[in-house]
Amino acid sequence: MSSILQITGRVAYSPEARAVIDYSGAGDVFEPGADPIMAGGYKIAPWGYDNDLPAHLLERIRKNDVVGANLQFNQLSGYGLGIKPMLRVVEDGKVVGYEECADEEVLRFFEDNDIDGFFLEQVNDMMTFFNVFPEIIVNRAGTKIVSLRHLEAAFSRWGSMEEQDSEIRWHYYNQWEGGAVKGKLCRTPVLSRYHTYDHLKTLLTKPRNRRFVLQVGMPTAGNTYYSRPNWWSIFRSGWYDLSVLLPKFKAALLKNHLAVRYVVYISDEYWKEMARLKNVAGDREKEIRMREEITQQLIDFLANENTKGGTLISTRKFAPSGSGAALEDKYIQIEHVESAIKGGEFIEDAEEANNIISYAMGVHPNLNGATPGRSKGSLGGSDKRELFMIKQAMMRPYRDRLLKPLRLVARFNGWDRNIVFAVPDVEFPTLDIEKSGKRETNQNPD
């Protein structure tokens, strides 16, 4: 078999064929888990096909500069200036304004539970996973919520629902290793999304129940247990793989003077079809061997000098589109690459990939890093100010979901009903209005 230089986990280079092989369709760790698995004697709803999707995701985030920076930007934008307890000012039955809350019990709760740190961790998991797992702890008497804790989403799993269940009943916490239980498995009752206060009161009638997990997340269509952020599309579309590939591949070109004649793109649908035809679908080891054999056949074809002008037969798939025309999906596509190495290779490709990743993650490149393309830095200060204000406004739904635990705490602990919670933002007015260039604005809590 020809030697293959692995450039990344999903991209390889064949010196003989002088071809780059893209395996972005050779297995999808983001496939949702189907059947429940057993862990520690309990039925768990797997997060991903191998119950290790959070670990796969975090590994990919750490490998990509743009994804990590965009996530941090979204996290900081979502955090704003942190959660502030506010008091509604009511006159003649109407809300006329808000003032800072001075209730000692409320302020002590915020201080004792490091609500700033709690909120930042919750925002972090929300932007990354669209799922957060806040834990509330009630005193022994069952009269007050005394603690609010952040449970890492990467270590959290929901219990599988039985036929008689209409909602998730259990939360399982563990430092999963390869999707399997590592050490002690912590099992905690889950509070209902509806009539949460009443459900909490009911569960407290059992003396051992003093810790509970809330269900908080951004809704996404078609998911029963775990929400799936829309920006994860970058992993399935191939733009993430391209963004990771380019710097590594360019470094390999410069260090090893690799000569590339071809880039081969292999569709995910091709592997599925071949697995079906060869009757190996579902057997991961046989599927891997099948991919290796087919890859070697491609390398042999491209490396053989006698194949110049030869023919490679590949399948095309046509799918209808809204315009009435058919969209073509080639199972195998081979692109010829100019062999000359000039030092500026793939710059535009990297800009395009990073721009699309930023688009998918809802981060305008003018707000976070250099702008891809030929119009770098084309926006003025007023344009950026407007873009940032739009970004802040779009954080409202996320913040509303993340404030749910505190609203439960306020009701259960009997705080003043006019105490509400706001996440203020820094507003950047024009200099003719505010000479300092910035001022704090309280987002309307209602």
Side-chain angles (χ1 to χ4, degrees), residues 169-184:
R169 297 180 55 215
W170 296 100
H171 171 270
Y172 296 91
Y173 198 71
N174 189 262
Q175 291 191 10
W176 307 89
E177 192 171 87
V181 172
K182 178 184 178 182
K184 183 180 178 182

Side-chain angles (χ1 to χ4, degrees), residues 60 70 81 102 122 133 140 180 183 198 217 220 224 229 254 271 297 312 348 351 357 413 432 446:
R60 281 159 174 73
N70 284 347
L81 295 175
Q122 294 274 288
F133 301 84
R140 287 189 177 184
D198 296 329
T220 54
T224 304
L254 296 175
W271 297 119
Q297 292 172 12
L312 174 68
E348 291 186 0
E351 289 177 339
I357 288 174
N413 287 0
D432 61 326
D446 295 329

